Amino acid sequence: MAYDTIIYEKTNGAATITLNRPQALNAFVSQMNQEVMDALRDGDRDSAVRCFVITGAGRAFSAGQDLKGRTPEQKGSLGASLREKYNPMILQIRRTEKIVLAAVNGVAAGAGCNLALACDLRIASEEAKFIQAFVRVGLAPDSGGSFILPHLVGFSKAMELLLLGEPIDAQEARRIGLVAKVVPAAEFPKATAELADRLARSPRGIGLIKRAVNQAMLAHLESQLEYEAQLQEIAGRSADYDEGVRAFIEKRAPVFTGK
Ligand code: T3D
């Protein structure tokens, strides 16, 4: 299968999906959602694949949804977008028994951040940053962040990150339990390959560990993803969201009116 917005490679039992729109900090367009899904399904079917790595090309992991396609004329239904494009991707990551490693090479914002949080493990370059950017453009959290983030860092820190939308660096992410490991940028590709190799050589039981944790969490995540879509539909229709997108495109601070 040919891919335009990702690079998909299989090496030594690991399938690597590299988000590849570096000029837009690997922001998601529909085609990229689709290609990530196709690659996840392909690797799930392939018995030679034992684990996945998701990473980004260039200086970002992913800046979330491509906001340049979210002007009032183009935005459509954000609820539908989540149900059709993001929620299936998050659920596929959770449902496959193969371990999914997020190799966070740079900034991860909005749905890009929550994509990383939906993975089983996170390794970060010292250059990585994590931003719950939704509030900055007038949105609510999606892609499972409202469920997974509080589980990872606790209620208080989750609310701080969601309400203020401020970036945290890789060391802080490690300190609060968002990532398992932080390595200097120069060592990042090697450290990622070593961890992926270890996961690819793990015993059958590793998939059962994931199945056990899913049994405790997956039903809640599924219903929360649907609820996030309902809330994002409301947020997406607000004047504040239109202002947030306009301000981002015009590279200025938004002026929200609460409408
Ligand atoms: O379907 C749906 O809409 C529902 C889903 C919604 C979930 C979401 O993910 S909403 C989007 C949430 N993401 C954001 O709000 C992040 C937006 N980006 C930023 O805040 C900043 O770019 C970063 C903090 C991530 C990085 O800042 P910086 O200063 O390092 O880079 P930059 O100069 O802002 O960006 C570099 C280029 O990437 C720039 O392009 P240009 O102007 O040089 O041609 C910028 O416009 C582009 N870019 C960055 N993020 C996005 C983007 N283009 C489109 N969409 C983006 N999200």
Side-chain angles (χ1 to χ4, degrees):
M1 194 178 293
Y3 296 95
D4 287 332
T5 63
I6 65 167
I7 301 164
Y8 181 52
E9 300 159 305
K10 298 178 193 173
T11 322
N12 300 330
T16 299
I17 298 170
T18 304
L19 308 173
N20 191 29
R21 301 185 67 233
Q23 73 288 356
L25 303 188
N26 304 319
F28 273 84
V29 288
S30 300
Q31 187 180 0
M32 195 156 94
N33 292 97
Q34 186 58 55
E35 291 185 356
V36 171
M37 270 305 285
D38 290 345
L40 286 168
R41 287 196 182 116
D42 174 86
D44 201 28
R45 282 192 302 263
D46 186 343
S47 59
V49 169
R50 301 284 319 281
C51 73
F52 289 94
V53 179
I54 302 181
T55 193
R59 71 179 176 91
F61 178 77
S62 171
Q65 169 62 38
D66 191 310
L67 291 171
K68 291 176 183 163
R70 287 293 178 265
T71 58
E73 303 74 43
Q74 294 170 287
K75 65 182 177 183
S77 161
L78 267 56
S81 168
L82 290 173
R83 288 185 190 101
E84 287 160 22
K85 298 173 199 162
Y86 286 90
N87 295 356
M89 186 172 73
I90 299 300
L91 287 173
Q92 182 67 22
I93 289 170
R94 296 306 327 136
R95 284 178 183 145
T96 174
E97 285 194 12
K98 300 177 185 185
I99 302 304
V100 186
L101 171 66
V104 186
N105 52 303
V107 65
C113 185
N114 289 343
L115 169 66
L117 301 192
C119 295
D120 296 298
L121 267 179
R122 282 152 292 286
I123 182 172
S125 155
E126 264 178 357
E127 293 182 351
K129 277 192 292 187
F130 297 80
I131 317 176
Q132 289 293 329
F134 305 93
V135 67
R136 292 157 64 145
V137 289
L139 289 182
D142 61 31
S143 304
S146 63
F147 178 77
I148 295 172
L149 185 67
H151 276 83
L152 287 173
V153 303
F155 169 77
S156 176
K157 193 71 192 177
M159 288 305 280
E160 178 191 328
L161 297 176
L162 291 168
L163 294 176
L164 302 182
E166 288 170 0
I168 57 169
D169 66 20
Q171 292 298 353
E172 174 67 356
R174 168 92 180 89
R175 196 187 66 74
I176 65 174
L178 266 195
V179 307
K181 199 169 181 169
V182 178
V183 292
E187 295 164 29
F188 185 67
K190 184 163 177 278
T192 299
E194 282 171 0
L195 187 52
D197 194 49
R198 176 172 163 183
L199 294 170
R201 286 184 291 103
S202 50
R204 163 90 175 93
I206 200 166
L208 302 181
I209 295 173
K210 184 165 179 178
R211 204 193 286 184
V213 175
N214 272 348
Q215 176 68 17
M217 297 181 66
L218 195 53
H220 299 288
L221 175 62
E222 283 167 345
S223 66
Q224 190 66 14
L225 284 165
E226 168 52 29
Y227 192 57
E228 286 179 346
Q230 292 173 26
L231 297 181
Q232 209 68 299
E233 181 65 27
I234 298 169
R237 291 173 188 271
S238 69
D240 280 340
Y241 175 57
D242 290 345
E243 164 63 6
V245 170
R246 211 164 31 238
F248 173 74
I249 292 170
E250 293 170 6
K251 299 184 188 290
R252 60 172 173 81
V255 182
F256 293 129
T257 59
K259 299 201 173 88

